[in-house]
Amino acid sequence: MKRSKSNKSSESPPPPQQRVLVLHGPNLNLLGVHGQGSRGLTTLADVHAAMEARGRADSVIVESFQSNHEGQLIDRVQAAAVEGVAFIIVNPAAYTHTSLALRDALVAVAIPFVEVHLENIHAREPIRHVSHFSDRATGVITGLGAYGYLAALEFGLSYLREG
Ligand code: DQA
């Protein structure tokens, strides 16, 4: 019996696109609403659009997720591991100073992450000087406003390129 012709092409399929997840904690949906934006990036939607466009230029998918609920942020981190997200940028907002559960999720999935804060948390009240994330982060950017997200993404893209 003759074998049917294989319709496999000689070209191998393109590698799957790499993915970066950007996580925003509680109240960051208000970014811009109270004049917290900087360098022309006034709302979270503006920040997302700039980051997605920058990722696209490197053929990297940049997804953003904001929640005011700790459990939803934890679920999103756990899903990231299943989806093969390669890098996370996270502003845990007030959970920075309180959430062992979100810290544990990031440690558990072992996806490298950069911690971002709009304001310099070390120039604010002492309670904000403590972060449950910084010791496990690849790096921390604090006080550069919305630009900090783009700086973190630039680092993430070079990390994905070069490892
Ligand atoms: C913040 C700093 C936190 O202390 C604060 O609770 C926030 C925002 C920042 O981006 O500067 O919600 O994470």
Side-chain angles (χ1 to χ4, degrees):
M1 195 174 141
K2 265 190 182 174
R3 285 208 179 160
S4 63
K5 260 192 187 171
S6 161
N7 46 15
K8 267 188 199 163
S9 146
S10 57
E11 283 172 35
S12 50
Q17 273 186 288
Q18 290 180 299
R19 302 163 82 105
V20 172
L21 175 65
V22 189
L23 283 177
H24 306 274
N27 298 309
L28 290 172
N29 52 314
L30 301 178
L31 178 66
V33 175
H34 298 299
Q36 291 166 292
S38 71
R39 297 179 191 234
L41 298 173
T42 49
T43 66
L44 208 55
D46 292 333
V47 174
H48 290 179
M51 294 181 87
E52 281 159 17
R54 179 61 193 91
R56 225 176 291 124
D58 277 24
S59 301
V60 170
I61 298 169
V62 179
E63 288 167 83
S64 300
F65 181 77
Q66 189 277 331
S67 179
N68 294 330
H69 304 278
E70 191 176 20
Q72 287 185 356
L73 292 162
I74 292 165
D75 287 347
R76 192 65 194 83
V77 169
Q78 292 186 10
V82 178
E83 293 163 0
V85 167
F87 194 81
I88 292 177
I89 295 165
V90 58
N91 182 348
Y95 290 143
T96 305
H97 322 294
T98 63
S99 183
L100 288 176
L102 185 55
R103 170 203 168 89
D104 286 350
L106 283 160
V107 171
V109 299
I111 299 170
F113 69 93
V114 166
E115 176 184 348
V116 171
H117 299 285
L118 296 160
E119 294 188 54
N120 179 355
I121 57 173
H122 302 290
R124 298 187 68 191
E125 313 94 291
I127 200 169
R128 294 185 202 271
H129 299 179
V130 176
S131 165
H132 289 308
F133 298 82
S134 300
D135 64 312
R136 303 308 291 255
T138 302
V140 181
I141 298 173
T142 186
L144 303 188
Y147 175 75
Y149 288 108
L150 289 168
L153 179 59
E154 214 53 63
F155 173 81
L157 293 173
S158 70
Y159 173 89
L160 294 183
R161 270 195 309 270
E162 289 146 34

